[in-house]
Amino acid sequence: MRVAIFGTGYVGLVTGTCFAEMGNVVACIDIDAEKIARLQRGECPIYEPGLPELLSDNLQQGRLRFTADCREGLADAEAAFICVGTPMGEDGRADLRFVEAAARDIGRTMTAPLLVVTKSTVPVGTAERVLGWVREELARRGVELAVEVASNPEFLKEGSAVEDFMKPDRVVVGVASSRAAALLHELYAPFIRNGLRFYTMDIRSAEMTKYAANGMLATKISFINEIANICELVGADVRQVRLGVGADSRIGLQFLHPGVGYGGSCFPKDVRALIRTAEEHGYRPRLLTAVDQVNREQVCSVQRKLRAWCELHERRLAELTVAVWGLAFKPNTDDVREAPALGLVRDLVAAGAAVRAYDPKAMHEARRALGELPRVVYCQDMYEATEGADVLCLMTEWRPFRRPDFRRLAGQLMARTIFDGRNQYDEARCREYGLTVYPIGVPSPLSRAATRAPS
């Protein structure tokens, strides 16, 4: 099948490459000429395990190409997937300007009947607007061509996106005709050979499914973080509590990981967009509002512990040099959007502290997001970051950070203190090396001062 993909970000690049891997002829379209030039050379602009190899192979085999020319990209395409960004606006709404631009480009350049599929995460009802934008441009041209829309939300996890696409938990499509359903089923057939994970529904339900899924996952994260905060105050250990709770087959352990809250390009944006959608329809989503508020508080949990530690030891934050391990919002990605670590760095600089930061993959993106902040040193490796620092803050649980050389850390950290924002370290083992660790959700002398109920 010939397929056009609008947008070469995480979703578009993974979608286009994986479709090509299954033998389809795919054209990826983007307005960023510099990015297109890099992709045409076989350079992958994002860090995603397994993607560079697939991209290079399919480019060489001629199944995958990249262009900034919409007309060229749409030539002979049977389906066009809109995979552009939908950033959060100041009022919490999803910003659809890139979706609209892609839809209008399709209307201006399509020359044959086409199925337009929204894969971007968009509010309920967006597919109908996409159809309207395409038809407006066709009318301006005085051209009559059959065009349909469908919704095909993505459920990819950054860091395992290729694996998720090639072996999906499920494929959800929202369609208005049997023809559209049949075309999408044919496209996805190689990925779902047993046919048990292909769900066909109406378009609005498909659009809602994506928001509901992310809302549920965000809820589990905020729930366990709320429990973690309570544990610190009542003398319980959230690490043991989560095991007892997660052993229930109705609940499970997935996404019950206490820490510094969720970040990234999806959960914060999608939860707030769903809240906004509900409010626009006259409903007050109390649970989702609480999920968002708990997370806004939780992403600052390490900052609160640091301040409580300074008060306990009669130190000033402005006197400290703080090592930060991890800048991406999660491991196995270079994505720093809404990353709790970036908020920590900004707060430390604002308080006058010096920062020594390191991330295995996200250094470039972090520097671009943070700008030229004073007193921030971007280090070449993890132990360069801790050399001469007073304390260490673990913000992203990259594999190299999980089992560090504690003896070496004890010799580097002036205050021999670690703030474990991802609950990776065993306090007893660290004490053997003279290190004090402050995890999330574990009682400590800092708990009362550092733990605040969401207002």
Side-chain angles (χ1 to χ4, degrees):
M1 188 179 298
R2 291 186 175 273
V3 178
I5 306 289
F6 281 77
T8 57
Y10 275 98
V11 176
L13 205 50
V14 171
T15 299
T17 302
C18 290
F19 278 154
E21 177 69 8
M22 289 303 182
N24 299 288
V25 178
V26 180
C28 292
I29 305 161
D30 202 294
I31 61 172
D32 187 336
E34 182 179 344
K35 181 190 280 190
I36 289 295
R38 290 183 61 191
L39 288 165
Q40 289 172 339
R41 294 193 297 269
E43 299 175 14
C44 189
I46 59 175
Y47 177 74
E48 185 63 42
L51 184 59
E53 296 81 4
L54 285 183
L55 189 153
S56 177
D57 184 56
N58 282 281
L59 193 63
Q60 290 176 13
Q61 296 297 324
R63 293 187 297 265
L64 181 64
R65 70 183 195 276
F66 300 95
T67 180
D69 187 326
C70 294
R71 191 176 301 277
E72 176 192 341
L74 277 175
D76 300 323
E78 298 173 67
F81 284 76
I82 296 178
C83 304
V84 297
T86 53
M88 181 173 56
E90 293 182 2
D91 59 357
R93 289 189 181 95
D95 185 343
L96 297 179
R97 57 184 160 162
F98 301 122
V99 174
E100 180 179 356
R104 292 193 180 279
D105 281 342
I106 291 170
R108 293 186 193 106
T109 56
M110 62 183 287
T111 57
L114 190 66
L115 176 64
V116 180
V117 186
T118 54
K119 204 164 186 64
S120 301
T121 302
V122 293
V124 176
T126 298
E128 296 162 19
R129 299 179 68 184
V130 166
L131 182 59
W133 291 325
V134 174
R135 283 178 171 168
E136 279 181 21
E137 296 304 324
L138 286 172
R140 285 195 178 99
R141 293 167 57 195
V143 174
E144 290 187 13
L145 289 172
V147 59
E148 283 191 79
V149 292
S151 173
N152 173 217
E154 54 86 13
F155 301 101
L156 307 177
K157 300 184 294 292
E158 291 185 31
S160 60
V162 171
E163 181 74 9
D164 292 343
F165 200 100
M166 301 299 281
K167 298 178 181 178
D169 291 329
R170 77 286 204 195
V171 174
V172 172
V173 298
V175 296
S177 74
S178 57
R179 177 190 173 279
L183 188 150
L184 289 170
H185 191 277
E186 178 187 349
L187 184 59
Y188 276 106
F191 303 95
I192 48 166
R193 296 300 292 262
N194 59 20
L196 296 179
R197 297 186 296 269
F198 190 86
Y199 299 99
T200 304
M201 58 188 71
D202 66 89
I203 293 175
R204 284 182 170 242
S205 294
E207 290 172 331
M208 185 64 180
T209 296
K210 169 65 177 189
Y211 278 113
N214 279 357
M216 182 68 234
L217 296 174
T219 297
K220 291 189 75 173
I221 296 170
S222 280
F223 171 79
I224 197 61
N225 282 331
E226 184 101 298
I227 295 300
N229 293 335
I230 297 171
C231 282
E232 289 206 32
L233 297 175
V234 302
D237 186 333
V238 73
R239 296 169 299 189
Q240 298 178 42
V241 172
R242 72 174 286 270
L243 294 176
V245 171
D248 189 324
S249 60
R250 299 168 300 175
I251 300 172
L253 285 169
Q254 284 191 314
F255 286 83
L256 286 184
H257 298 286
V260 290
Y262 56 77
S265 63
C266 293
F267 289 179
K269 170 178 71 71
D270 293 352
V271 168
R272 292 168 200 166
L274 187 52
I275 290 169
R276 185 67 183 184
T277 296
E279 290 173 343
E280 288 174 350
H281 287 79
Y283 181 77
R284 185 163 63 92
R286 289 167 291 182
L287 176 59
L288 291 170
T289 301
V291 167
D292 181 50
Q293 185 59 42
V294 168
N295 194 65
R296 289 175 188 263
E297 295 271 342
Q298 197 68 21
V299 296
C300 298
S301 53
V302 167
Q303 289 93 309
R304 291 196 296 271
K305 287 183 183 293
L306 260 170
R307 292 190 182 97
W309 181 86
C310 285
E311 184 176 337
L312 180 67
H313 293 277
E314 298 183 341
R315 299 284 299 272
R316 293 176 58 247
L317 197 52
E319 299 171 354
L320 298 184
T321 296
V322 180
V324 177
W325 278 1
L327 297 168
F329 84 94
K330 61 181 283 189
N332 297 321
T333 181
D334 60 356
D335 194 344
V336 299
R337 285 173 290 184
E338 300 275 343
L342 268 57
L344 171 65
V345 171
R346 291 187 183 103
D347 288 349
L348 289 171
V349 170
V355 177
R356 298 178 63 80
Y358 173 72
D359 187 285
K361 296 295 179 182
M363 297 289 275
H364 175 74
E365 294 299 321
R367 293 187 77 151
R368 188 166 67 173
L370 289 169
E372 295 300 321
L373 290 178
R375 299 184 302 281
V376 176
V377 176
Y378 296 95
C379 300
Q380 297 299 311
D381 63 63
M382 56 195 284
Y383 296 112
E384 182 187 341
T386 47
E387 184 64 49
D390 293 288
V391 301
L392 165 65
C393 297
L394 176 69
M395 299 299 288
T396 314
E397 64 278 29
W398 286 92
R399 285 179 181 174
F401 300 158
R402 294 179 185 181
R403 292 293 180 271
D405 184 340
F406 291 114
R407 189 183 305 278
R408 186 173 181 179
L409 286 178
Q412 288 183 318
L413 297 173
M414 307 297 286
R416 294 191 170 190
T417 299
I418 301 173
F419 296 91
D420 184 0
R422 297 297 182 179
N423 285 15
Q424 296 295 303
Y425 304 141
D426 178 78
E427 301 99 290
R429 184 183 178 195
C430 289
R431 277 197 297 271
E432 295 175 3
Y433 299 95
L435 292 165
T436 301
V437 178
Y438 294 104
I440 302 293
V442 179
S444 76
L446 309 183
S447 295
R448 186 65 57 178
T451 305
R452 299 176 184 171
S455 56

